[in-house]
């Protein structure tokens, strides 16, 4: 009798992370194993149950596969297939290789952002240039539903109504004939998972989708700039700026946060970590300091707050790093993902609940892996052809660490040990790349090849 325990693609899984913190090491291993087991012949939402390739799951997962192996083929294929099937109105399928007839509006925007992220990671301008006409048509659909203030205003509901979700079309494009349109953002409030928890409000003038639209406009502006379309870059930046300015309508003085939306002309009472994360990422104006706002969102015991699931921290953790909240991010990782280890998980859960509604091998839940490589070890992207790079380790937060990230230019490593009188740091940059190491205190040291530095 034969059975399969797990299947893994034939890729060189060379990235690594170890430190003096056994819990973080265990979480890294849990995340890394999930990427290996969760990656099959194509990108999977999960390999055992919901065997579909979603743009939301696929783009970060494909990026992480690239960081772990140096192979960006999965990501390239996902982007090719996402924009290969496009409706006459401009929307693309958000479930590649699927007969599902609904479109997640936020995933269409995440697909555009995914193209920008691919360019940042690989530097492959030629490939990206071929996707831009379709990406422009996606944003064109959203532009057709802007109100006078420049905000996206579309009568979407939380979930589809009576229409079937799957129609098994004869042709791929038929799935985009009269599709169901909805906003996902994250699980709370969908009715699929996180039952009994406060849910995101998706109806009315929605804050989260407008923040994502502003981010997609900025991503497109960056793509236009990289491909020589200066006029397009200016136009998309103007769109993003207009949304960011108009987004002030979502700020609630009473709540002290961005609310989820405006329903029937009134601000929604619902507040979520997800909406506030996206609003801060998109540059929506809020009184006070952005870091303080995000810290309050993490610390509040308010039982009515909708809280981010594992998926959504692929946006939240980088924002915490951007705001200098690395300590809070590490504590969140230890608590939230440490619970999975505590209960014996060998791959990542779909939600933090870990209940009977979850699947138990969800690659998109692996945000701590990239956070540890990028924002603690300090190993960022080095696109092909780039000759300068910045390494920014946070050796003030861990006594010792060893890490390796695969970049489009080759492997990049770093190690450090705290010792009497300072920290000993050494590593290796890809061939042909030089740059600088930036200490947690902001001191810059030139580095190249195999390098070693003693920081006081």
């Amino acid at each position: 009798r034969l059975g399969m325990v797990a299947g893994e693609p034939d890729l060189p899984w060379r990235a690594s992370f170890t430190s003096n913190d056994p819990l973080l090491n265990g979480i890294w291993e849990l995340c890394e194993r999930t990427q290996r087991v969760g990656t099959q012949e194509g990108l999977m939402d999960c390999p055992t149950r919901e065997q579909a390739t979603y743009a939301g799951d696929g783009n970060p997962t494909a990026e992480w596969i690239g960081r772990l192996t140096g192979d960006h083929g999965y990501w390239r294929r996902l982007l090719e297939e996402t924009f290969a099937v496009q409706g006459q109105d401009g929307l693309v399928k958000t479930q590649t290789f699927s007969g599902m007839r609904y479109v997640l509006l936020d995933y269409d925007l995440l697909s555009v952002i995914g193209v920008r992220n691919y360019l940042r990671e690989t530097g492959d301008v030629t490939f990206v240039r071929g996707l831009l006409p379709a990406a422009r048509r996606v944003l064109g659909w959203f532009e057709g539903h802007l109100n006078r203030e420049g905000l996206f205003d579309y009568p979407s509901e939380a979930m589809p109504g009576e229409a079937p979700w799957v129609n098994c079309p004869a042709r791929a494009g038929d799935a985009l004939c009269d599709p169901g349109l909805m906003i996902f953002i994250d699980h709370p409030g969908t009715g699929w998972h996180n039952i009994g928890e406060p849910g995101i409000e998706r109806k009315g003038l929605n804050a989260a989708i407008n923040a994502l639209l502003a981010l997609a406009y900025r991503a497109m502006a960056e793509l236009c700039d990289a491909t020589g379309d200066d006029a397009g870059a200016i136009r998309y930046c103007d769109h993003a700026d207009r949304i960011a300015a108009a987004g002030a309508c979502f700020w609630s003085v009473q709540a002290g946060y961005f609310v989820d939306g405006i329903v029937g002309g009134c601000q929604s009472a619902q507040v979520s970590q997800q909406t506030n994360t996206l609003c801060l990422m998109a540059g929506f104006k809020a009184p006070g300091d952005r870091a303080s706002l995000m810290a309050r969102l993490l610390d509040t015991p308010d039982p009515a707050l909708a809280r981010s699931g594992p998926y959504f921290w692929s946006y939240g953790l980088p924002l915490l790093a951007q705001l200098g909240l690395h300590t809070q991010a590490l504590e969140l990782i230890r608590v939230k993902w440490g619970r999975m280890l505590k209960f014996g998980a060998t791959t990542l859960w779909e939600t933090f609940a870990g209940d009977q509604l979850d699947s138990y091998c969800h690659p998109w839940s692996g945000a701590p892996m990239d956070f540890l490589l990028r924002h603690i070890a300090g190993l960022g992207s080095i696109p092909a052809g780039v000759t300068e790079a910045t390494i920014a380790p946070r050796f003030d937060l861990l006594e010792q660490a060893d890490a390796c990230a695969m970049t489009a230019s080759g492997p990049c490593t770093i190690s450090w040990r705290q010792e009497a009188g300072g920290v000993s740091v050494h590593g290796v940059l890809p061939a042909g790349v030089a740059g600088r190491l930036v200490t947690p205190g902001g001191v810059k040291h030139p580095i190249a090849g195999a390098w070693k530095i003693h920081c006081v």
Side-chain angles (χ1 to χ4, degrees):
R1 294 182 179 182
L2 299 177
M4 182 181 292
V5 175
E8 299 176 16
D10 187 18
L11 295 173
W13 301 88
R14 293 183 285 181
S16 61
F17 178 90
T18 57
S19 72
N20 61 291
D21 186 329
L23 181 56
L24 289 181
N25 297 343
I27 291 169
W28 159 271
E29 292 170 0
L30 185 66
C31 294
E32 192 267 355
R33 171 176 161 77
T34 305
Q35 307 311 308
R36 289 190 284 113
V37 174
T39 304
Q40 303 296 313
E41 68 275 11
L43 297 164
M44 294 289 175
D45 177 272
C46 54
T48 56
R49 188 184 70 182
E50 195 174 1
Q51 296 172 326
T53 303
Y54 286 83
D57 304 58
N59 276 283
T61 299
E63 181 173 357
W64 299 338
I65 292 170
R67 298 273 288 165
L68 291 171
T69 69
D71 189 320
H72 297 96
Y74 278 87
W75 202 357
R76 184 183 179 105
R77 180 74 189 283
L78 171 69
L79 293 172
E80 285 177 334
E81 295 301 325
T82 296
F83 292 99
V85 180
Q86 191 165 29
Q88 292 183 351
D89 58 4
L91 293 176
V92 295
K93 281 173 58 62
T94 48
Q95 309 86 16
T96 310
F97 312 121
S98 170
M100 292 182 176
R101 65 175 303 276
Y102 63 93
V103 170
L104 304 179
L105 294 177
D106 44 316
Y107 280 24
D108 263 39
L109 296 175
L110 290 173
S111 296
V112 175
I113 295 170
V115 177
R116 189 277 313 278
N117 291 347
Y118 177 87
L119 178 64
R120 285 182 175 181
E121 195 70 26
T122 67
D124 190 350
V125 177
T126 301
F127 171 71
V128 163
R129 192 187 304 273
L131 300 178
L132 291 192
R136 286 191 181 95
R137 288 194 292 272
V138 170
L139 294 182
W141 182 87
F142 284 86
E143 288 173 30
H145 298 283
L146 301 181
N147 63 18
R148 293 179 179 179
E149 289 72 37
L151 293 172
F152 176 72
D153 193 355
Y154 187 84
S156 59
E157 298 296 324
M159 291 293 109
E162 300 300 324
W165 287 19
V166 181
N167 63 356
C168 299
R171 297 175 302 175
D174 291 345
L176 286 169
C177 294
D178 190 27
L181 305 179
M182 56 185 132
I183 297 171
F184 174 61
I185 304 298
D186 196 4
H187 274 305
T190 62
W192 298 334
H193 297 272
N194 301 94
I195 306 301
E197 295 183 19
I200 303 167
E201 175 59 79
R202 296 171 176 82
K203 298 177 183 177
L205 184 63
N206 186 266
I209 199 70
N210 272 284
L212 261 179
L213 180 56
L215 291 168
Y217 278 140
R218 295 203 190 282
M220 181 58 80
E222 189 173 328
L223 292 167
C224 288
D225 183 64
T227 54
D229 181 4
D230 296 339
I234 293 171
R235 185 171 75 86
Y236 286 115
C237 274
D238 288 345
H239 275 309
D241 290 343
R242 191 178 182 200
I243 290 176
C249 69
F250 299 112
W251 178 260
S252 169
V253 175
Q254 180 179 0
Y257 296 112
F258 291 103
V259 297
D260 283 351
I262 296 175
V263 182
C266 299
Q267 286 187 337
S268 166
Q270 184 59 52
V271 172
S272 66
Q273 289 180 335
Q274 295 90 334
T275 291
N276 280 268
T277 295
L278 291 175
C279 288
L280 291 177
M281 290 173 63
F284 287 17
K285 301 301 181 184
D289 178 69
R290 295 196 310 153
S292 298
L293 171 58
M294 200 64 193
R296 283 194 290 114
L297 277 168
L298 294 177
D299 293 339
T300 179
D302 184 0
L305 179 74
R307 300 178 186 274
S308 298
Y311 299 172
F312 205 84
W313 284 109
S314 60
Y315 316 117
L317 289 176
L319 177 63
L320 293 179
Q322 179 188 335
L323 299 176
L325 300 175
H326 295 73
T327 300
Q328 291 88 334
L330 284 177
E331 182 59 22
L332 183 144
I333 289 170
R334 291 183 179 108
V335 172
K336 292 289 191 179
W337 279 265
R339 182 172 179 270
M340 298 187 197
L341 286 177
K342 178 181 178 182
F343 282 91
T346 58
T347 49
L348 296 164
W349 299 344
E350 187 173 12
T351 77
F352 289 127
D355 58 21
Q356 73 280 3
L357 299 175
D358 279 7
S359 65
Y360 300 109
C361 185
H362 256 72
W364 195 12
S365 298
M369 178 183 61
D370 191 61
F371 179 84
L372 291 171
L373 278 183
R374 196 180 297 270
H375 299 294
I376 299 300
L379 304 178
S381 306
I382 309 178
V386 168
T387 58
E388 295 186 2
T390 297
I391 307 299
R394 292 303 305 263
F395 48 71
D396 56 324
L397 301 178
L398 293 172
E399 293 180 4
Q400 64 182 63
D402 301 272
C404 173
M406 301 304 298
T407 76
S409 294
C412 187
T413 70
I414 190 170
S415 298
W416 71 77
R417 300 288 184 277
Q418 291 185 7
E419 53 190 33
V423 181
S424 176
V425 193
H426 64 90
V428 178
L429 286 176
V433 177
R436 67 197 65 81
L437 178 137
V438 181
T439 71
V443 179
K444 299 177 181 178
H445 300 271
I447 56 175
W451 54 270
K452 185 174 183 178
I453 294 172
H454 182 80
C455 301
V456 178

